[in-house]
Amino acid sequence: MQAKETLLADLVQGKKQQFQVPLYQRTYSWTERQLAQLWRDILEQVGLLGNEDGASTHFLGSVVLAPSPQNAPTFNRWLVVDGQQRLTTLSLALAAIRDHIAGDRGDEAERIEEDYLVNKRMHGTDRFRLLPTQADRAQYAAQVNGTTAEHGAGDRVAAAYQFFRTKLVQAEDPAEPVDPLRIEEAITTRLTFVAVTAERGDNVHRIFESLNNTGLKLSQADLLRNYLFMKLRTRGEHVYETYWLPLQESLSNEELEQLMWLNLVLDGDDRVRRQDLYTAQQQRFEKRAADEPEIEEYIKQLHRRSAHFRKLIHPREEPSPAVRSCLERLHDWQAVVTHPALMLVLDRRARGELDDTDAARALSYVESFLVRRTICRIPTNNLNRIFQSVPAQLPRDVPVADGLHRLLSSDNRFWPDDAELRDKIRTAPFYRYGRPHQRRIVLQRLEESHGHPEPVDFATAHLTIEHVMPQAPGDAWMRMLDEDTMLGESAEDLHARLQHTLGNLTLTAVNAELSNHPFERKQDLLKASHLEMNRRIAAAERWGAVEILARADDLAERAAVLWPAPLRDVRRAERSRDWHLAHQVLAALPPGTWTSYGDLAAFLGSGAQAVGNHLANTPGVINAYRVLNSEGRVSDGFRWATPRDEGDDVRARLAADGIAFTAAGAADPAQRLSADDLARLLADPDEEGDEDASAAGTGDGEETRAARFRRQLAADDSPATVAAVEELLASWEALGGWIGHGAGQTTTSAYLMLGAAGLPGKGIWPLTLYPGSGRGGTAEVVFQYLASRRPFTDRALRAELLARLNTMDGVDIPEGKLDLRPAFRLEILDDPRNRALLTETLAWFRDRWETREAD
């Protein structure tokens, strides 16, 4: 038996061989949780390519191989005893890269296929370099061959391939594009394995068990501390008591590790990873042959800088009011990514290079950089690199604050200028981007800009974000919107375009009963508000498109003053970023779904005609043909942007993707994704959420929330539906669940919870019930949330939940919405059979959760 460290390229590349997954092995089982972690590791290694400091590769684990009984002298076949999940995943990633570049780099695509995926000139199953288990084979072959195959909702091979196709589109971000061939290089030369090769008769399972035994690992801080005091042979006790012990007592071990990493970054190392902290610092000392005084000075420096670090995590310790205010806002924003820049400012202030006023100005640039990018929907994926590079790249010929302003203003940082800021405040669906607490902070700062003589105490006010024009408008709202539509636009299109923009959002703690009433009913409520922005809204005679856009312009002027602009009007790529966002979301369309030009335009904050023109004239946009008109038909002006597709029948391609058609020939409207659905496709389920659905715990206000939910339900639904919902809630409690209620003051909700009450993050729920808001109550099935919660990370389990729900009359959720949050009407529960079926489904859900494997 031989064991050695190897790379995927060395294991697989260029050899006529096959890795066979035995039939007794489990089927492919990686979920998006594991795929996302691997993708982060791959991108991290991409950033380390060419690093002359010998940064560590990423260790993926073991691959245990044994000779196959089907081995032949000219064709080696290996049984994969351990490692099939990793090998399958990396093969699918390489297949996705091949297909991503096939249009304009065909030679490279062919090379990837022949080096890693297939055995050229072999036939049948021998053609595949990796041969999965029988259950996965057809779908894996379809991805490698570039063909279509029937797949179920729970098929993980197809889902993994689609995951990588989507991520590759995202990696084309204009702010920091990543070459797909660099990703290939990282996969094949930066991910390492221990390859254990057995001979016939060897006990491969014994070595498999040994390799997979793990113990409690020392942290990077533990390793570095041990190294430091090993070097302090004569001064160790004094240094420990004077500097290290106070440092260790003021910070947790995780915080201490973060400080040690920041210390390296401040000293100019803009490439070091936190997990390489110990190795990087050790190498610095060894390279300089550091003696005891140098080691002691390093620990003193950590001790000094710990005071700065504590102000980042405890801003109230900062004595300067101006600096403290900036630090508090950045702390509330949860801007951990900016810590290298913040530490630099505080460190330079301590050295006398700038005063409190200039320090606050420097921090305001950091805040503006974050806020403007959020308002303008610029992805956050490159923020780590931007801020980690600040200490090393800060100009030395100007004062610190001016240098930071200049550095962040450079054209590859994408700090939006005033023109872009004004445009996005008017058009971008702000409510559907970023984190809920960040959206509140933006509105809070805009309210504070009014300088009200009796400012609101936001810490105790319990305000939530309110849509002035509601998300579910009644007939009165729609009639008013109809007056403001443009040529070719419906009231529904106008509502979708404006509902989530900043001009239509405010903060309020108003009574829930008036949440969706006509504007005239809202005015009295808003007039009585302590917030100046609400009183100004109440002064309007109506609330349609004209008023929303006028308020957006006012907010934009305030925002431009609150958050400083970059230094100069440098080259920007605003529209290319918008189109990149369109490419991302189209690549993420699940099988069996379509969207419309209007939906995509509302998601982008663009116009439907501009969307159509772009798709028609841009080759290589994945799933562009799945954008239809609002009736679900192929647009009269549609044309294939790629010559090789010309002549293909669009409807046949749609049918192959699982899209059904009505008797009238239109795409099934149940499979259509709205603008909100599109936003959820790219959202992090742990970060994305409505303001009104941000909490489901129990507490002092639980009875009030429950009563509010019942009042709203009774105000909108029939007595029969209210009684049916009450029966459902009672049935859920009889099953051992409990009812949580959302924290929203405007519109509340009811969560069907399992797990310990009052312990956030420890429970799970399958459904959220919402009052009707003028159109009848709904039950939202939270597939997107369940996809990150065990055991429902298993796509097959979510597919079974969907199938069970679809047995109810009036429910027909398409498979394509298995990663979203589809809803059905509460009124269907009026039928006793439907209530019985739903109760059975909830019992099944409870049983699956209670028998889950421990994390």
Side-chain angles (χ1 to χ4, degrees):
M1 184 175 292
Q2 299 177 355
K4 66 175 182 178
E5 185 173 358
T6 190
L7 302 167
L8 185 69
D10 296 333
L11 186 68
V12 177
Q13 183 178 6
K15 303 172 186 176
K16 191 166 69 170
Q17 60 181 333
Q18 187 174 77
F19 299 91
Q20 301 174 342
V21 180
L23 295 180
Y24 60 77
Q25 287 269 26
R26 62 176 174 166
T27 56
Y28 182 70
S29 59
W30 273 29
T31 67
E32 188 164 328
R33 185 176 183 178
Q34 289 92 6
L35 295 172
Q37 181 59 56
L38 175 63
W39 181 253
R40 288 191 290 269
D41 294 334
I42 291 171
L43 290 185
E44 190 170 62
Q45 290 300 320
V46 170
L48 295 173
L49 284 170
N51 192 326
E52 297 178 358
D53 296 333
S56 63
T57 54
H58 180 75
F59 179 61
L60 272 183
S62 62
V63 175
V64 181
L65 306 174
S68 170
Q70 302 172 344
N71 219 347
T74 59
F75 187 40
N76 288 329
R77 294 180 173 91
W78 301 97
L79 296 180
V80 183
V81 179
D82 181 38
Q84 66 121 334
Q85 303 289 328
R86 292 181 286 275
L87 290 178
T88 305
T89 303
L90 296 179
S91 297
L92 291 168
L94 290 168
I97 294 173
R98 175 202 61 187
D99 295 343
H100 185 77
I101 65 174
D104 52 8
R105 286 192 272 187
D107 290 345
E108 293 289 359
E110 185 177 351
R111 176 188 59 78
I112 291 172
E113 177 173 288
E114 294 181 359
D115 280 354
Y116 303 111
L117 300 175
V118 304
N119 294 304
K120 193 175 181 180
R121 288 188 285 275
M122 300 295 283
H123 303 286
T125 58
D126 287 349
R127 181 173 183 270
F128 301 105
R129 198 71 59 88
L130 174 71
L131 191 65
T133 61
Q134 191 73 32
D136 292 328
R137 197 166 294 172
Q139 192 54 243
Y140 178 82
Q143 310 310 327
V144 172
N145 290 333
T147 58
T148 59
E150 293 294 329
H151 66 275
D155 194 290
R156 288 177 173 171
V157 170
Y161 172 82
Q162 181 64 37
F163 172 87
F164 289 115
R165 287 302 306 267
T166 301
K167 290 299 182 184
L168 287 164
V169 174
Q170 292 178 8
E172 294 176 334
D173 180 3
E176 193 177 27
V178 182
D179 187 342
L181 293 182
R182 298 274 285 178
I183 297 174
E184 178 221 342
E185 185 180 357
I187 291 172
T188 57
T189 68
R190 300 287 306 176
L191 305 180
T192 62
F193 305 87
V194 168
V196 180
T197 307
E199 296 184 4
R200 295 189 186 278
D202 285 339
N203 189 339
V204 291
H205 296 286
R206 181 65 58 85
I207 190 68
F208 165 71
E209 291 172 358
S210 299
L211 287 170
N212 285 278
N213 282 334
T214 57
L216 183 62
K217 296 180 180 179
L218 291 175
S219 71
Q220 293 287 298
D222 292 330
L223 292 169
L224 188 52
R225 179 196 61 217
N226 295 348
Y227 173 83
L228 294 171
F229 285 97
M230 180 184 68
K231 291 284 189 180
L232 290 171
R233 301 183 187 280
T234 63
R235 300 276 294 168
E237 187 172 341
H238 168 74
V239 172
Y240 184 85
E241 292 181 355
T242 307
Y243 302 109
W244 188 270
L245 189 57
L247 174 65
Q248 193 167 271
E249 290 176 343
S250 68
L251 299 173
S252 68
N253 196 64
E254 183 176 349
E255 291 166 349
L256 180 57
E257 187 173 296
Q258 177 78 354
L259 172 63
M260 289 174 164
W261 175 76
L262 286 168
N263 196 66
L264 267 174
V265 175
L266 287 177
D267 288 344
D269 193 337
D270 62 349
R271 307 275 291 183
V272 65
R273 303 180 301 169
R274 183 165 163 177
Q275 57 264 46
D276 293 334
L277 160 66
Y278 166 64
T279 301
Q281 188 62 62
Q282 182 189 39
Q283 288 176 349
R284 286 168 66 99
F285 285 139
E286 298 295 337
K287 189 178 294 185
R288 297 198 300 261
D291 53 13
E292 282 199 59
E294 186 173 349
I295 298 289
E296 181 175 348
E297 182 55 38
Y298 169 77
I299 295 174
K300 287 181 180 179
Q301 185 183 64
L302 281 180
H303 182 267
R304 287 194 301 270
R305 285 175 168 170
S306 69
H308 310 328
F309 183 68
R310 280 191 58 84
K311 290 172 183 176
L312 305 189
I313 56 180
H314 305 291
R316 292 186 180 181
E317 295 182 7
E318 165 58 45
S320 163
V323 175
R324 183 170 63 248
S325 294
C326 292
L327 290 176
E328 285 176 340
R329 289 195 295 271
L330 289 166
H331 180 267
D332 291 343
W333 192 269
Q334 298 178 11
V336 175
V337 70
T338 67
H339 281 182
L342 307 190
M343 282 287 288
L344 179 139
V345 171
L346 297 182
D347 192 53
R348 297 291 182 88
R349 183 184 63 166
R351 287 158 50 177
E353 296 184 27
L354 70 168
D355 58 17
D356 289 344
T357 300
D358 282 337
R361 181 164 63 91
L363 297 178
S364 76
Y365 296 143
V366 174
E367 179 187 350
S368 173
F369 186 81
L370 295 176
V371 173
R372 283 179 176 241
R373 283 171 60 103
T374 295
I375 291 174
C376 296
R377 304 205 304 171
I378 299 174
T380 61
N381 52 291
N382 64 337
L383 287 180
N384 277 303
R385 178 69 57 82
I386 288 173
F387 284 107
Q388 187 171 340
S389 67
V390 164
Q393 297 181 8
L394 190 73
R396 299 181 182 277
D397 57 342
V398 293
V400 173
D402 295 332
L404 187 59
H405 198 185
R406 179 195 296 181
L407 181 62
L408 293 179
S409 298
S410 58
D411 61 1
N412 63 340
R413 262 62 174 193
F414 293 95
W415 185 359
D417 59 18
D418 287 345
E420 184 179 359
L421 182 70
R422 291 187 177 97
D423 176 63
K424 290 299 187 289
I425 287 179
R426 283 177 65 92
T427 63
F430 174 71
Y431 188 73
R432 285 301 185 199
Y433 190 79
R435 302 179 178 181
H437 73 275
Q438 293 170 348
R439 299 195 286 263
R440 279 195 298 271
I441 290 171
V442 169
L443 283 165
Q444 176 181 326
R445 289 278 281 147
L446 290 169
E447 166 62 25
E448 291 170 339
S449 72
H450 289 286
H452 196 278
E454 297 180 6
V456 172
D457 182 358
F458 288 96
T460 60
H462 302 297
L463 300 175
T464 59
I465 293 183
E466 161 82 350
H467 290 71
V468 184
M469 176 180 65
Q471 297 184 73
D475 293 339
W477 282 102
M478 299 306 288
R479 284 194 297 270
M480 181 179 64
L481 284 174
D482 199 46
E483 300 171 4
D484 294 345
T485 56
M486 297 187 300
L487 183 64
E489 183 179 45
S490 68
E492 289 77 10
D493 291 336
L494 181 59
H495 176 262
R497 179 161 60 87
L498 293 179
Q499 63 170 325
H500 296 316
T501 59
L502 252 174
N504 188 49
L505 303 176
T506 189
L507 293 169
T508 182
V510 297
N511 293 330
E513 289 83 353
L514 299 182
S515 61
N516 291 282
H517 281 295
F519 180 64
E520 294 78 7
R521 297 279 301 274
K522 285 192 169 187
Q523 280 180 303
D524 291 339
L525 217 75
L526 294 171
K527 286 177 183 176
S529 172
H530 290 290
L531 274 65
E532 181 64 26
M533 65 168 62
N534 288 342
R535 289 199 284 268
R536 295 190 176 203
I537 294 170
E541 294 183 1
R542 64 193 292 276
W543 198 254
V546 174
E547 292 74 21
I548 290 172
L549 292 173
R551 181 168 179 264
D553 292 338
D554 175 68
L555 294 179
E557 294 305 315
R558 294 178 180 278
V561 174
L562 281 173
W563 295 294
L567 273 176
R568 57 192 181 277
D569 187 14
V570 294
R571 180 180 61 83
R572 301 289 171 189
E574 294 84 7
R575 182 51 57 191
S576 67
R577 278 202 308 271
D578 289 345
W579 294 135
H580 176 62
L581 195 61
H583 300 174
Q584 286 186 61
V585 78
L586 290 179
L589 286 180
T593 62
W594 61 278
T595 192
S596 73
Y597 294 101
D599 293 321
L600 185 55
F603 165 71
L604 297 172
S606 179
Q609 185 173 354
V611 168
N613 290 337
H614 175 78
L615 296 182
N617 294 290
T618 307
V621 180
I622 299 173
N623 293 325
Y625 61 92
R626 287 162 68 184
V627 183
L628 308 175
N629 65 24
S630 59
E631 297 176 351
R633 301 178 185 277
V634 179
S635 169
D636 292 338
F638 174 83
R639 65 178 183 272
W640 292 106
T642 305
R644 65 179 180 178
D645 292 324
E646 290 180 3
D648 283 6
D649 181 70
V650 182
R651 179 162 168 160
R653 185 83 70 89
L654 292 169
D657 284 338
I659 294 172
F661 293 87
T662 66
D668 185 353
Q671 295 179 300
R672 175 178 174 176
L673 300 189
S674 67
D676 286 350
D677 291 330
L678 295 177
R680 290 182 177 120
L681 281 179
L682 299 185
D684 183 334
D686 290 325
E687 295 178 359
E688 188 267 354
D690 295 345
E691 292 294 325
D692 294 334
S694 59
T698 58
D700 295 339
E702 183 70 23
E703 289 186 0
T704 301
R705 294 181 193 175
R708 182 182 303 121
F709 171 77
R710 285 168 169 79
R711 285 198 302 272
Q712 291 180 350
L713 188 67
D716 192 62
D717 275 289
S718 69
T721 300
V722 173
V725 170
E726 293 285 4
E727 182 178 324
L728 173 67
L729 298 180
S731 297
W732 180 247
E733 290 177 328
L735 290 171
W738 55 279
I739 311 301
H741 290 280
Q745 296 294 313
T746 304
T747 301
T748 189
S749 49
Y751 293 74
L752 275 59
M753 296 292 305
L754 287 171
L759 294 178
K762 299 298 183 182
I764 193 170
W765 67 95
L767 298 177
T768 307
L769 311 186
Y770 290 99
S773 305
R775 296 188 173 187
T778 56
E780 183 181 74
V781 190
V782 291
F783 289 126
Q784 185 183 38
Y785 156 82
L786 292 175
S788 63
R789 301 300 192 278
R790 293 183 181 178
F792 294 95
T793 51
D794 184 341
R795 188 176 179 87
L797 278 181
R798 301 200 305 279
E800 185 172 350
L801 174 59
L802 178 145
R804 287 173 175 270
L805 292 170
N806 280 344
T807 61
M808 293 187 291
D809 292 337
V811 179
D812 187 17
I813 300 171
E815 181 182 307
K817 295 192 176 182
L818 197 56
D819 294 311
L820 295 170
R821 300 190 311 198
F824 57 84
R825 292 290 180 189
L826 290 178
E827 64 187 9
I828 73 160
L829 298 179
D830 295 1
D831 183 343
R833 177 181 175 276
N834 281 344
R835 290 200 300 276
L837 288 171
L838 182 54
T839 301
E840 289 177 12
T841 298
L842 293 174
W844 169 87
F845 181 92
R846 177 205 59 190
D847 294 344
R848 298 291 80 73
W849 187 74
E850 289 182 346
T851 57
R852 71 196 183 282
E853 293 181 2
D855 288 344

